[in-house]
């Protein structure tokens, strides 16, 4: 794992955005694996800035997102499709047909999971996958478990994740209880991975993920086994690993 420590959140976002930027410049038809949540907001803002400056072209880029809540229509402002449209897709020249998220409204959820893995395969795999990390070590919505989950699947969100995500909803009761997520195998098949971590709250989990034992109890720890991972942290998240 390559570890980059940036001064603060903005600097962390610039470093992560630079890696995505370089990926697209070097391979304009890249398949980018994207994440939602608060961590990548500033990273997407940086990419939009580079696009507005005329430095990056998304017209041949394809995207696949990690996950989507089950049961939220895309018009719901907490759906991950809505998040991606408002933070990135509507602000750059990526073609809407080239942007992909699991369909959280699919009637047959297991068929949808199979379709999503098939789609990623058809696209030739993910060139660069951006990840955030949950307080419990989840990546995508692969929650701590006794085994590493494999392909795209439907998960029951843990109490800790529901509580963490309640900040985005009017009340905790509105937080969906399930999500469709790429599995650990799907994530590990990406050619390159960027793990972005910021904030004091994540310092323990950052240390466990980067230097702790590889265990499904800390799903992000599996990234230690991937040949090309860059972890970009701000100083607050890196406090225990400096
Ligand atoms: C979101 C995702 C999640 C988040 C994680 C951290 O697509 O896959 O794993 O990256 O929950 O979320 P934030 O960045 O809001 O702390």
């Amino acid at each position: 794992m390559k570890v980059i420590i940036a001064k603060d959140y903005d600097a962390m976002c610039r470093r992560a955005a630079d890696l995505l930027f370089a990926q697209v410049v070097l391979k304009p038809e890249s398949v980018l694996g994207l994440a939602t949540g608060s961590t990548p907001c500033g990273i997407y803002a940086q990419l939009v800035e580079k696009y507005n400056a005329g430095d990056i072209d998304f017209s041949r880029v394809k995207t696949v997102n990690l996950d989507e809540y089950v049961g939220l229509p895309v018009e719901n402002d907490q759906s991950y499709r809505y998040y991606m449209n408002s933070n990135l897709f509507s602000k750059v020249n990526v073609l809407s047909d080239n942007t992909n998220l699991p369909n959280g409204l699919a009637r047959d959820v297991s068929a949808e999971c199979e379709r999503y893995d098939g789609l990623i395969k058809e696209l030739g795999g993910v060139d660069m996958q951006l990840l955030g990390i949950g307080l419990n070590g989840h990546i995508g919505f692969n929650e701590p478990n006794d085994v590493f989950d494999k392909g795209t699947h439907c998960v029951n969100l843990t109490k800790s994740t529901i509580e963490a995500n309640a900040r985005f909803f009017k009340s905790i009761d509105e937080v969906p209880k399930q999500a469709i997520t790429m599995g650990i195998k799907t994530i590990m098949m990406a050619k390159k991975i960027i793990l972005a971590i910021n904030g004091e709250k994540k310092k323990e989990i950052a240390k466990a993920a980067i230097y702790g034992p590889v265990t499904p109890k800390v799903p992000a720890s599996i990234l230690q086994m991937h040949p090309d991972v860059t972890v970009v942290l701000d100083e607050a998240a890196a406090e225990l690993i400096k």
Side-chain angles (χ1 to χ4, degrees):
M1 277 177 156
K2 195 185 292 169
V3 177
I4 297 176
I5 300 175
K7 193 171 176 309
D8 53 19
Y9 176 71
D10 285 348
M12 183 210 76
C13 290
R14 280 200 299 279
R15 299 302 291 270
D18 282 349
L19 297 173
L20 288 156
F21 172 73
Q23 173 66 38
V24 174
V25 169
L26 293 173
K27 185 176 177 190
E29 68 285 9
S30 287
V31 177
L32 300 182
L34 299 176
T36 56
S38 31
T39 310
C41 283
I43 301 174
Y44 297 142
Q46 286 289 328
L47 289 176
V48 170
E49 220 171 271
K50 287 177 193 299
Y51 170 74
N52 288 335
D55 292 337
I56 184 168
D57 173 22
F58 287 89
S59 63
R60 290 160 66 197
V61 166
K62 298 196 169 83
T63 68
V64 281
N65 262 78
L66 282 168
D67 40 22
E68 179 60 282
Y69 285 124
V70 168
L72 285 192
V74 294
E75 308 78 44
N76 185 303
D77 63 4
Q78 293 310 321
S79 77
Y80 287 169
R81 163 59 78 176
Y82 191 99
Y83 170 104
M84 288 311 301
N85 286 347
S86 41
N87 284 286
L88 185 68
F89 299 157
S90 66
K91 297 181 171 167
V92 299
N93 65 337
V94 66
L95 300 178
S96 153
D97 283 354
N98 286 345
T99 65
N100 300 281
L101 283 91
N103 175 6
L105 293 180
R107 264 207 246 138
D108 183 342
V109 172
S110 46
E112 173 57 12
C113 294
E114 240 175 78
R115 177 195 76 82
Y116 206 64
D117 277 337
L119 167 81
I120 295 170
K121 214 169 163 188
E122 247 171 61
L123 293 175
V126 173
D127 289 300
M128 183 173 273
Q129 175 69 55
L130 175 64
L131 298 174
I133 185 172
L135 290 170
N136 61 5
H138 72 214
I139 46 176
F141 273 131
N142 293 279
E143 301 283 29
N145 200 346
D146 294 333
V147 289
F148 288 110
D149 292 304
K150 296 195 177 88
T152 299
H153 60 288
C154 180
V155 280
N156 295 322
L157 302 181
T158 60
K159 195 166 164 269
S160 124
T161 299
I162 291 170
E163 282 167 5
N165 289 2
R167 67 192 194 276
F168 300 118
F169 291 82
K170 280 197 207 93
S171 87
I172 194 162
D173 301 330
E174 286 183 17
V175 185
K177 307 293 177 287
Q178 289 188 313
I180 295 176
T181 180
M182 280 188 200
I184 293 291
K185 179 177 164 198
T186 329
I187 293 171
M188 289 293 279
M189 279 167 58
K191 294 172 191 111
K192 292 182 190 140
I193 295 178
I194 304 168
L195 172 61
I197 315 179
N198 73 288
E200 207 256 333
K201 272 202 297 199
K202 294 211 174 143
K203 65 184 182 193
E204 277 96 9
I205 200 63
K207 184 179 177 198
I210 301 170
Y211 294 115
V214 174
T215 162
K217 302 285 180 211
V218 181
S221 64
I222 191 76
L223 299 173
Q224 295 175 38
M225 311 298 281
H226 190 282
D228 194 340
V229 176
T230 306
V231 190
V232 191
L233 308 100
D234 69 356
E235 279 182 1
E239 197 183 317
L240 303 178
I241 63 165
K242 270 192 250 169

